[in-house]
Amino acid sequence: MNYKMWINGEWMDADSGRTYPVINPANGEEIAQVPLGGKTDVEKAVAAAKNAFPAWSAKSQAERSAIVNTIGQAIRENIEELAMLDCLDHGTPITTARRMVMGAVVNLEYNANTARSLMGDVIPISPNSFHSFIREPVGVCALIIPWNVPLIMIGAKLGAALSVGNTCIVKPPSIDSLAALKFAEILHNLDIPKGAINIITGPGSTVGEAIASHPDVDLISFTGSCETGKDIMEKSSNSIKRLVLELGGKNPFIVLEDADLEAAVERAVFSSYNNTGMVCASPGRYYINEKYHDQFVDMFVEKAKKITVGDPLDENTWMGPVVSTEHRDKVEYYIQSGIDEGAKLILGGKRPDNPPLDKGCFVMPTVFTNVTQNMKIAREEIFGPVACIMKFSSEDEVIDLANDTSFGLCASVWTKDITKAMKFAKKINAGAVWINDHLTISPEMPWGGFKESGIGKENSVIGLEEFTQLKLIAMNLA
Ligand code: NAD
């Protein structure tokens, strides 16, 4: 099947006429061709969004919110097809893929509805003046999407940007763009003003860079790797764009000696292998109190062994392949580096050798123990189904270890002692700290990292406000 980009409400091929193949990671087969967009395609999309901005931003809030809700409803009606595309294109197990499509709906609806209660304020400076500030949309927003959860991200970013009056260019990930192009088809059948949303495909190195350096793009909301985030900061600096960057993490999962071990293991296994470990918030480092370390490891391994790895289309599959052969190479590079640096591989570390899984990009659930803080697998984001388990003896030591990283996305602490839990929550240098939980994210919760994990927040009223700019209006009444 050949897909097209959606620019100014019309289907378009890339100016170059070129396309590139989309490969199903579960079996290596080509499933579609999508346009290989480039700089001139970006220019068209930006011009369309710029043209559409005055009329879209002038609509009443109620009307914009209603349109965004209509998009949510239309996605809801197409769950099965969108989930199937995510399954074929990304390898997401079908049951998880359905939940992810619903995640997009929930994000759109949350933003559409919350935008209706955003407020400005009045500043009581003197009786002879009236000082107030109001929120205005920023303009043309570029929404650059990663491949790990593309529809959820589109729902969150597009829902927020559009609801408050911006127009958008959506750049789906190059290796996982089918669900976004199906989404364009859904939009095409709705009454969306031309140019308010544009969807353009192609590699980050050309399309992404052209967006980042385009002078008429006012805001970039980017989710992806730290390296790309840094590049976008550099490219966008010439026109001082607003940036919201949601980047990588190496998130500590800390189990104290009084934790409910069963609950911790249950959540740990889910968090490590959900979406084949390709989740920014996955636990990248486990720190287990030395007294319970061995017991935790035994329980973890026993549970991880029961994970059903298989064809993403099978309703019983819980874990599918990683997204591509290149990504499998990267995960395997980290597994080898763990072995070379002296960590003990106690589960997985291999591809399945039984057909038909041997043809796909599968990596079995993997567990390392004897990991030390300076190993690559303890410091760098693997973004795959690999759990790295370490032990600690004192609470102060583990807080230092947890903070010894350039990342600061999220963390969790497991304990029955609320005072200890709050001590950890305050001392850990990360944008989110769960207590007796991990990986629960919802549209109401502001999400965004500290340090190299990002700038700004997504989700919640705070995330919505990122897509607005504050204007002061000062009136002399004297
Ligand atoms: P990536 O940085 O390779 O790509 C992300 C997007 O940026 C893609 O659409 C890509 O085409 C585009 N891109 C690539 N190079 C570009 C450039 N030079 N200029 C502009 N755009 C460019 O990331 P990925 O591999 O798709 O996603 C995985 C990463 O995303 C991980 O690091 C993960 O932690 C992170 N992530 C973070 C969050 C969060 O909320 N913090 C959520 C999901 C994923």
Side-chain angles (χ1 to χ4, degrees):
M1 172 129 186
N2 273 3
Y3 285 79
K4 290 185 190 287
M5 299 188 283
W6 197 61
I7 299 176
N8 206 25
E10 287 172 23
W11 296 114
M12 291 199 189
D13 291 317
D15 268 350
S16 66
R18 292 175 65 199
T19 59
Y20 65 95
V22 177
I23 307 293
N24 179 345
N27 56 23
E29 287 171 13
E30 182 182 316
I31 47 175
Q33 289 277 334
V34 301
L36 188 79
K39 193 164 185 266
T40 53
D41 303 295
V42 170
E43 276 158 9
K44 279 188 206 160
V46 175
K50 194 177 173 190
N51 259 342
F53 178 71
W56 178 255
S57 57
K59 282 188 188 300
S60 72
Q61 184 57 58
E63 197 180 347
R64 277 199 308 265
S65 290
I67 292 173
V68 175
N69 270 322
T70 313
I71 300 174
Q73 181 55 29
I75 295 184
R76 206 186 276 275
E77 286 158 15
N78 285 275
I79 282 189
E80 215 43 48
E81 200 176 343
L82 285 162
M84 184 62 76
L85 284 173
D86 196 31
C87 184
L88 293 173
D89 190 0
H90 179 276
T92 314
I94 188 71
T95 48
T96 311
R98 288 187 193 114
R99 281 205 312 276
M100 289 192 179
V101 181
M102 267 316 289
V105 174
V106 168
N107 279 334
L108 283 159
E109 291 176 347
Y110 172 83
N111 283 296
N113 299 334
T114 308
R116 297 193 68 176
S117 44
L118 279 193
M119 298 214 197
D121 219 334
V122 175
I123 318 164
I125 291 181
S126 100
N128 295 327
S129 70
F130 183 84
H131 285 79
S132 63
F133 58 84
I134 58 169
R135 290 189 179 277
E136 292 186 346
V138 180
V140 173
C141 296
L143 315 176
I144 306 182
I145 310 292
W147 48 257
N148 66 325
V149 282
L151 275 174
I152 292 182
M153 289 287 135
I154 291 176
K157 292 182 193 298
L158 192 71
L162 271 190
S163 294
V164 296
N166 303 287
T167 52
C168 304
I169 297 147
V170 180
K171 149 80 179 88
S174 46
I175 51 170
D176 189 5
S177 44
L178 294 193
L181 293 173
K182 171 67 194 171
F183 175 62
E185 200 181 301
I186 292 169
L187 295 173
H188 193 70
N189 295 327
L190 299 175
D191 195 15
I192 308 288
K194 279 180 190 290
I197 308 171
N198 305 275
I199 299 186
I200 174 163
T201 52
S205 52
T206 49
V207 171
E209 286 213 25
I211 289 173
S213 52
H214 198 296
D216 289 338
V217 170
D218 301 293
L219 178 151
I220 298 178
S221 174
F222 168 77
T223 299
S225 62
C226 293
E227 294 65 37
T228 310
K230 288 175 189 173
D231 198 46
I232 288 176
M233 281 185 95
E234 202 183 311
K235 300 273 167 16
S236 62
S237 65
N238 57 356
S239 54
I240 317 283
K241 297 186 196 318
R242 287 163 165 261
L243 295 178
V244 181
L245 303 176
E246 302 296 347
L247 310 177
K250 190 70 184 172
N251 315 303
F253 185 114
I254 303 166
V255 181
L256 303 185
E257 68 180 306
D258 65 344
D260 175 339
L261 220 50
E262 199 127 323
V265 169
E266 177 82 32
R267 201 63 190 164
V269 172
F270 172 83
S271 307
S272 275
Y273 303 116
N274 175 50
N275 206 25
T276 321
M278 299 180 294
V279 179
C280 58
S282 285
R285 301 173 282 155
Y286 284 94
Y287 295 105
I288 314 297
N289 181 284
E290 61 187 356
K291 284 194 196 143
Y292 293 99
H293 171 270
D294 294 355
Q295 199 181 339
F296 179 93
V297 169
D298 290 347
M299 289 164 72
F300 187 105
V301 168
E302 199 181 319
K303 216 167 172 38
K305 276 183 184 162
K306 294 190 182 133
I307 288 175
T308 46
V309 179
D311 178 357
L313 287 169
D314 184 335
E315 297 274 340
N316 295 316
T317 292
W318 194 82
M319 195 179 104
V322 298
V323 74
S324 63
T325 46
E326 292 74 21
H327 194 59
R328 182 182 56 192
D329 291 348
K330 180 178 163 191
V331 173
E332 288 179 342
Y333 159 81
Y334 279 114
I335 292 172
Q336 191 55 49
S337 93
I339 296 167
D340 294 345
E341 290 190 299
K344 193 166 161 197
L345 179 68
I346 58 165
L347 185 71
K350 301 190 286 256
R351 304 174 183 187
D353 47 17
N354 52 312
L357 301 195
D358 55 346
K359 293 204 177 60
C361 307
F362 290 88
V363 180
M364 295 304 284
T366 296
V367 180
F368 278 110
T369 56
N370 288 20
V371 178
T372 55
Q373 186 76 3
N374 287 326
M375 289 178 183
K376 260 194 189 127
I377 56 169
R379 303 204 72 79
E380 297 177 18
E381 190 183 36
I382 302 174
F383 223 57
V386 182
C388 302
I389 305 182
M390 298 180 256
K391 47 174 106 161
F392 70 90
S393 50
S394 86
E395 284 169 16
D396 288 341
E397 174 202 5
V398 77
I399 290 171
D400 287 346
L401 291 169
N403 286 334
D404 172 27
T405 170
S406 58
F407 295 106
L409 186 57
C410 59
S412 65
V413 57
W414 293 77
T415 172
K416 291 182 188 138
D417 181 333
I418 188 67
T419 311
K420 277 188 196 166
M422 286 311 293
K423 170 180 153 188
F424 273 77
K426 290 193 168 184
K427 291 207 163 178
I428 288 177
N429 206 1
V433 181
W434 288 284
I435 296 165
N436 298 326
D437 195 6
H438 200 104
L439 212 61
T440 303
I441 300 173
S442 80
E444 296 82 1
M445 294 161 62
W447 180 256
F450 289 2
K451 303 197 275 182
E452 291 192 19
S453 289
I455 299 175
K457 298 286 175 191
E458 197 147 68
N459 297 347
S460 80
V461 178
I462 296 162
L464 198 54
E465 287 175 351
E466 297 275 9
F467 288 92
T468 66
Q469 48 196 353
L470 273 183
K471 178 180 279 176
L472 173 74
I473 300 178
M475 201 185 317
N476 181 356
L477 300 176

